[in-house]
Amino acid sequence: MGNIVPDSETTCLCGSKIEYSLCCEQFHKKLKSPSTAEALMGSRFTAYAKQNEAYLLETWDTGKRPKTIDFSNEEAVWTKLNIIKTKKGTEKDSKGIVEFKAYYSLENEAYVMNEISRFIKVAGQWLYYEGLVKSVSKVNQQVGQGKNAPCSCGSGKKFKRCCGK
């Protein structure tokens, strides 16, 4: 038997291309801890998409985190994460920066949010410190680009199966 590529229902949203149960679920269930700022970023994105308030609060620096996260008015469907670049944030570092693009759909429109997030390591655990949203915009289709054309986000998928959902 060869490697089985998981379908979009079980693939982790963090962008790893492996099953959620073998990826971020390990962090969400406290079986493992993210060893890098980038791994924490991916696990937090997936937790946000799954509305896992407990994990988000646990991995947020205590001096910056809110008391609760209210998902009751959340209408966006978060679809994928694309890490743009990281600065530090390795196992040996105590601070790190991750720039990413988070894709979501809202009212049948595809959007992308570009953010720079800062992370710190406290007692050996990576924590989200703060973030700065650089931009939020609709995912633009090029003139003449149809739903069967490759998605402009660079995923390699057809637009209709990616940001056009």
Side-chain angles (χ1 to χ4, degrees):
M1 288 180 106
N3 289 338
I4 298 172
V5 178
D7 64 29
S8 62
E9 296 299 314
T10 60
T11 303
C12 194
L13 294 171
C14 74
S16 67
K17 299 182 181 172
I18 61 175
E19 288 186 34
Y20 169 69
S21 64
L22 301 173
C23 192
C24 289
E25 186 176 41
Q26 301 285 308
F27 304 135
H28 298 164
K29 289 186 172 182
K30 300 181 186 178
L31 301 173
K32 293 165 78 177
S33 293
S35 60
T36 65
E38 185 174 329
L40 179 61
M41 179 63 242
S43 70
R44 285 180 55 83
F45 172 80
T46 303
Y48 194 87
K50 293 181 172 288
Q51 299 186 356
N52 183 341
E53 178 186 21
Y55 183 79
L56 292 167
L57 293 174
E58 289 168 9
T59 58
W60 207 319
D61 179 64
T62 56
K64 294 281 190 170
R65 78 172 163 226
K67 292 182 191 247
T68 62
I69 300 170
D70 183 9
F71 287 108
S72 64
N73 294 321
E74 179 70 42
E75 294 179 14
V77 176
W78 296 89
T79 56
K80 73 177 172 181
L81 178 70
N82 183 12
I83 302 294
I84 305 301
K85 65 181 173 181
T86 59
K87 183 177 180 182
K88 296 193 177 191
T90 68
E91 294 178 33
K92 297 177 184 177
D93 296 315
S94 60
K95 294 180 181 179
I97 297 173
V98 178
E99 181 177 355
F100 64 92
K101 289 186 178 182
Y103 293 83
Y104 63 98
S105 61
L106 181 63
E107 297 177 357
N108 294 320
E109 295 279 355
Y111 293 87
V112 61
M113 178 184 73
N114 185 201
E115 181 176 314
I116 298 174
S117 291
R118 293 177 50 206
F119 298 86
I120 58 172
K121 193 188 286 186
V122 177
Q125 297 293 311
W126 280 106
L127 298 172
Y128 171 76
Y129 187 70
E130 64 185 356
L132 173 66
V133 175
K134 289 177 61 175
S135 66
V136 175
S137 60
K138 283 187 181 180
V139 175
N140 295 325
Q141 282 186 276
Q142 297 170 359
V143 176
Q145 179 183 16
K147 291 189 173 239
N148 287 320
C151 190
S152 60
C153 76
S155 68
K157 295 181 181 179
K158 291 180 179 181
F159 177 77
K160 69 181 179 183
R161 303 219 185 275
C162 191
C163 295
K165 279 187 175 178

